[in-house]
Amino acid sequence: MVDLTGKLTVVTGGASGIGRATVLKMAAAGAVVFTGDMDEAGNTETAEMARAAGGSATAVTLDISDRASVAAFAATATDDGAKTVDIIVNVAGWDRIQPFLDATPEFMDKILDINLKGPMNVVKAFLPDMVAANAGKIVSISSDAGRVGSMGETIYAGAKGGVIAFTKSLARETARHKINVNCVCPGPTNTPLLMSQPESMREKLARAVPFRRIGEPEEIADAVLFFASNMSDYVTGQVLSVSGGLTMAD
Ligand SMILES: NC(=O)c1ccc[n+]([C@@H]2O[C@H](COP(=O)([O-])OP(=O)(O)OC[C@H]3O[C@@H](n4cnc5c(N)ncnc54)[C@H](O)[C@@H]3O)[C@@H](O)[C@H]2O)c1
């Protein structure tokens, strides 16, 4: 059983899907969780669910693509700098499937702002204190799209591939401060993001998975918990696909 007792933790994208499962599992493991999401109602519900199960969770409205919003999130989670966050989990993300040729410049910017610059904004807000503390765990949700590509998700895949490269480089920069930086790549996972795609596409995806099913958000959260805990103290700069064997990238 992973023990995160008292660990001050920020999770983005906690209102739904993988983020919600992550908040619930981390709070159940004893973490003191601040969940940030644009979806205020969903985020509040997640925090209530975590507290009803006996955990500690606070919902904060957050747009990771807006640096002022990220700064306000950081101020709330750290009690205006009085506390240092132990664990950052970047989950928030967004995509819409369409051919690259149809993408407008605005769409391109939005995808990059949320999926690539968003996690960078969040890490930038909390990292100086982690460095000063010589401790910390950073876990980002990328995607198998970022490892092997994905039809109709070209810009998103570029952003998620960027998250992988960001993870590895940051891991090198922060290892001397005993900070672990890793990322988890879900394959197709049973969340509102995937459910918004056509059923035919979801069936095709499930057939392509060696385990012949799509993943559950809790299965992704389990990998996050490993990277967030002391069980991964000697692991950094790594990428773990949790995708039923769909991708077996080096
Ligand atoms: N579901 C999948 O099949 C799948 C596969 C690979 C990777 N992922 C990644 O997993 C992560 C979680 O996805 P999910 O499937 O749980 O999706 P989801 O849509 O259920 O949840 C994503 C959450 O992120 C929030 N969000 C979006 N933009 C935001 C912003 N700018 N600021 C703050 N919050 C924002 C949304 O409000 C939502 O609550 C994402 O990074 C996604 O790219 C998902």
Side-chain angles (χ1 to χ4, degrees):
M1 169 80 181
V2 172
D3 182 9
L4 301 176
T5 302
K7 296 288 183 191
L8 186 56
T9 300
V10 290
V11 179
T12 70
S16 175
I18 294 166
R20 171 172 284 181
T22 300
V23 170
L24 296 181
K25 284 213 177 221
M26 296 189 90
V32 176
V33 183
F34 283 79
T35 168
D37 201 296
M38 284 172 83
D39 171 0
E40 201 174 330
N43 203 29
T44 301
E45 192 178 77
T46 299
E48 283 168 1
M49 288 166 75
R51 289 196 298 270
S56 169
T58 305
V60 183
T61 303
L62 166 70
D63 177 356
I64 58 168
S65 66
D66 173 353
R67 293 196 182 98
S69 175
V70 173
F73 178 55
T76 305
T78 63
D79 207 355
D80 284 325
K83 295 173 186 157
T84 298
V85 160
D86 299 295
I87 303 166
I88 302 169
V89 189
N90 286 306
V91 186
W94 182 77
D95 191 23
R96 193 176 64 223
I97 292 177
Q98 65 172 358
F100 177 68
L101 280 174
D102 293 348
T104 62
E106 293 73 27
F107 178 80
M108 212 182 280
D109 286 347
K110 182 173 175 180
I111 292 285
L112 295 176
D113 284 350
I114 297 173
N115 297 291
L116 178 56
K117 288 162 84 177
M120 291 178 177
N121 292 338
V122 173
V123 169
K124 196 95 168 76
F126 295 100
L127 190 62
D129 287 347
M130 280 187 167
V131 165
N134 267 320
K137 302 271 189 187
I138 301 172
V139 190
S140 297
I141 300 292
S142 174
S143 169
D144 270 356
R147 302 190 87 177
V148 297
S150 178
M151 188 91 169
E153 295 191 291
T154 300
I155 303 163
Y156 171 84
K160 291 297 194 181
V163 170
I164 292 171
F166 170 62
T167 293
K168 291 178 180 178
S169 299
L170 190 68
R172 290 183 188 279
E173 277 194 40
T174 60
R176 81 187 83 151
H177 300 294
K178 300 187 180 63
I179 296 170
N180 303 67
V181 194
N182 291 290
C183 83
V184 176
C185 291
T189 306
N190 182 15
T191 70
L193 187 71
L194 186 76
M195 289 305 142
S196 67
Q197 308 303 331
E199 195 181 342
S200 58
M201 186 194 134
R202 284 185 270 131
E203 280 170 9
K204 221 183 281 173
L205 281 170
R207 275 200 303 275
V209 174
F211 279 145
R212 289 282 187 271
R213 65 173 178 84
I214 60 174
E216 294 301 322
E218 291 74 18
E219 293 174 308
I220 313 301
D222 281 337
V224 173
L225 256 71
F226 167 70
F227 283 129
S229 76
N230 60 11
M231 292 200 300
S232 62
D233 278 352
Y234 197 54
V235 182
T236 198
Q238 301 304 306
V239 184
L240 176 62
S241 284
V242 181
S243 56
L246 177 62
T247 50
M248 299 191 187
D250 286 341

